[in-house]
Amino acid sequence: MLIRAATPDDTSSLLAWNAAMAWETEHKRLDPAVLERGIAGIFERPQRGFYLVAERDGVAVGSLMVTYEWSDWRCGDFWWIQSVYVAPEARRGGVFRALYAAVEQRAAAAGAVGLRLYVETENANAQATYVGLGMQRCRYFMYESALASADES
């Protein structure tokens, strides 16, 4: 399996996979135009993060996005793993494990202070996978407040 940095040429796969992941996990339909701009935003401003793509036999089978969160308490960045998707036919085949290992290696080389991700409370399979990789459930609940977007004003 090859893990590589995504490029703008991967946008169509990232679009499809992000839309599929939103539907599978939250039964949420994403606006393709907004999603495409969101994906482009990572390529246009690398300080936001990056995508990795997993390929098996030259075929892209999964991806994830990493974004950064500065921690003043630890004087370093946490790397957030987001937008994880593995094609159904490639699941349970080590794709996420390989993506995670690549993130872990890159984060350590960059001096990151830790890796974080969030998961749907009902997604027991994903939670078991993360625990199996040595991740621990943290003590924090996540809250959010949606702000009006520029498209709505």
Side-chain angles (χ1 to χ4, degrees), residues 10-93:
D10 295 302
T11 298
S12 63
S13 293
L14 296 171
L15 270 164
W17 291 341
N18 274 284
M21 185 258 311
W23 181 252
E24 287 178 22
T25 60
E26 300 181 34
H27 285 98
K28 185 177 209 172
R29 297 221 185 268
L30 301 180
D31 179 329
V34 172
L35 180 55
E36 187 167 11
R37 288 194 313 270
I39 292 167
I42 290 288
F43 295 121
E44 292 164 0
R45 295 183 61 193
Q47 68 271 26
R48 289 180 170 150
F50 60 91
Y51 285 98
L52 292 180
V53 171
E55 289 184 354
R56 182 175 281 145
D57 300 322
V59 176
V61 293
S63 66
L64 58 72
M65 179 180 71
V66 171
T67 59
Y68 311 112
E69 174 194 11
W70 177 254
S71 172
D72 54 352
W73 288 11
R74 294 175 181 90
C75 190
D77 285 312
F78 276 97
W79 284 27
W80 278 87
I81 297 171
Q82 301 181 60
S83 299
V84 174
Y85 191 78
V86 176
E89 65 277 7
R91 292 180 185 166
R92 313 307 306 166

Side-chain angles (χ1 to χ4, degrees), residues 80-151:
W80 278 87
I81 297 171
Q82 301 181 60
S83 299
V84 174
Y85 191 78
V86 176
E89 65 277 7
R91 292 180 185 166
R92 313 307 306 166
V95 175
F96 179 73
R97 181 174 296 279
L99 285 163
Y100 181 84
V103 170
E104 192 173 42
Q105 181 180 28
R106 288 171 182 233
V113 297
L115 301 178
R116 289 183 169 163
L117 55 77
Y118 52 86
V119 60
E120 287 291 318
T121 57
E122 306 287 319
N123 193 341
N125 287 337
Q127 292 171 37
T129 296
Y130 304 146
V131 168
L133 290 169
M135 297 189 87
Q136 302 165 9
R137 187 172 171 185
C138 65
R139 301 177 33 212
Y140 302 102
F141 288 111
M142 190 170 132
Y143 292 82
E144 70 180 2
S145 178
L147 303 175
S149 73
D151 293 337

